Amino acid sequence: MTMILALLGSPRTKGNNMRAIDEVLRGATACGDCEVQKIELNQLSIKPCQHCDGCLHTGSCVIRDDMELIYKSILTMLNSV
């Protein structure tokens, strides 16, 4: 199964970028064996890197924010390949 993760960075939720992504995802879904996920970044709470070097010790970011959702989606997609 093909997995597509679309990340929308525009703050305009009804803008041209959203319409374009929705059309691409609709076309991909219509082709069959495809799972799609769209994440609207402007709706999430993501803190920038604080350069605390915590990830160097733990292997993952120590900041607990909505970026974890994106990490999980990317890992799920990569593990399905």
Side-chain angles (χ1 to χ4, degrees), residues 5 39 46-47 60-78:
L5 174 62
I39 298 177
I46 300 173
K47 191 173 181 181
S60 64
C61 185
V62 297
I63 298 173
R64 299 294 170 234
D65 60 7
D66 290 337
M67 193 65 198
E68 291 181 58
L69 169 71
I70 298 171
Y71 294 143
K72 182 179 177 184
S73 295
I74 291 171
L75 288 174
T76 299
M77 185 180 66
L78 291 175

Side-chain angles (χ1 to χ4, degrees), residues 8-77:
L8 179 67
S10 174
R12 298 181 59 215
T13 58
K14 300 204 187 306
N16 291 332
N17 289 333
M18 176 71 83
R19 286 185 221 159
I21 285 177
D22 286 344
E23 285 300 314
V24 168
L25 295 180
R26 183 174 32 228
T29 302
C31 288
D33 192 27
C34 186
E35 181 181 331
V36 299
Q37 181 182 7
K38 177 176 64 176
I39 298 177
E40 298 176 45
L41 299 177
N42 197 49
Q43 303 297 319
L44 303 179
S45 176
I46 300 173
K47 191 173 181 181
C49 177
Q50 302 298 299
H51 195 58
C52 67
D53 292 338
C55 59
L56 297 176
H57 304 288
T58 65
S60 64
C61 185
V62 297
I63 298 173
R64 299 294 170 234
D65 60 7
D66 290 337
M67 193 65 198
E68 291 181 58
L69 169 71
I70 298 171
Y71 294 143
K72 182 179 177 184
S73 295
I74 291 171
L75 288 174
T76 299
M77 185 180 66

